[in-house]
Amino acid sequence: MPRCYTAASKTAANTSWRMDQIIEFIGNHPLIIAGIVAAWLAVTFYELRLRSLGTLHVSTADAVRLINKGALVIDVRKPEEYAAGHIVNARNIALERLAKDDDAINKQKNKILLAVCGDGSSSGRVAGMLRKSGYENAFSLKGGLAGWRADNLPLVK
């Protein structure tokens, strides 16, 4: 008696054959598979890191909006750098003091805080530290005062 193959049985046979090929490929090329997995993990980690930093860093335009809404600007640079030029109404609180003294900001946990440094690296850490301390509205100026100056925004001396 002749065998009748239906489309479903051909598809199942093809799928089984393809899976066998994939398993054989994985067994024959473990370094390629390890490289693909490592690349996937690296991209995933990098993307998750970018997303978490994106919630902390704000652009200069967003910083101006926050300042206009009454944000408290915290300049974490050294006093001599602060004296050379700073954002209007910014408070100079040294990075070391913020790390040691939780009361340096006067417990204004409901206020919007904008941390500023020279290039944006220190202020990002400060914003993260403030958020861990309970300041939910703590942000960092992306690019720091260098980005502020690049956008020709005003500074006070």
Side-chain angles (χ1 to χ4, degrees):
M1 181 181 279
R3 286 191 153 179
C4 292
Y5 289 106
T6 62
S9 65
K10 284 184 179 178
T11 303
N14 273 345
T15 304
S16 172
W17 178 73
R18 287 183 191 145
M19 284 301 294
D20 290 341
Q21 277 189 325
I22 292 172
I23 292 170
E24 181 182 350
F25 180 83
I26 291 171
N28 290 336
H29 305 286
L31 293 178
I32 292 175
I33 299 303
I36 290 170
V37 169
W40 177 76
L41 288 173
V43 168
T44 302
F45 174 76
Y46 183 74
E47 287 295 323
L48 290 174
R49 187 176 151 268
L50 283 180
R51 285 187 185 184
S52 69
L53 289 177
T55 60
L56 292 177
H57 295 286
V58 294
S59 67
T60 53
D62 291 333
V64 169
R65 283 189 210 102
L66 290 174
I67 292 169
N68 288 339
K69 287 182 179 180
L72 176 62
V73 180
I74 302 167
D75 196 323
V76 296
R77 297 176 300 151
K78 295 179 181 173
E80 55 273 5
E81 294 172 336
Y82 175 81
H86 58 273
I87 297 174
V88 177
N89 296 330
R91 290 177 52 189
N92 184 232
I93 303 174
L95 184 60
E96 297 81 24
R97 183 173 170 217
L98 271 174
K100 292 178 190 173
D101 187 15
D102 190 33
D103 196 34
I105 307 171
N106 299 328
K107 304 273 186 192
Q108 298 183 20
K109 295 200 183 229
N110 59 346
K111 189 147 180 128
I112 299 171
L113 303 175
L114 179 63
V116 178
C117 69
D119 60 1
S121 60
S122 299
S123 60
R125 288 193 319 259
V126 168
M129 182 180 63
L130 289 171
R131 284 196 175 203
K132 286 179 184 175
S133 296
Y135 296 91
E136 295 176 7
N137 294 320
F139 300 97
S140 169
L141 178 62
K142 185 186 289 183
L145 277 186
W148 188 268
R149 284 187 187 109
D151 288 344
N152 293 321
L153 293 169
L155 293 175
V156 177
K157 293 187 180 183

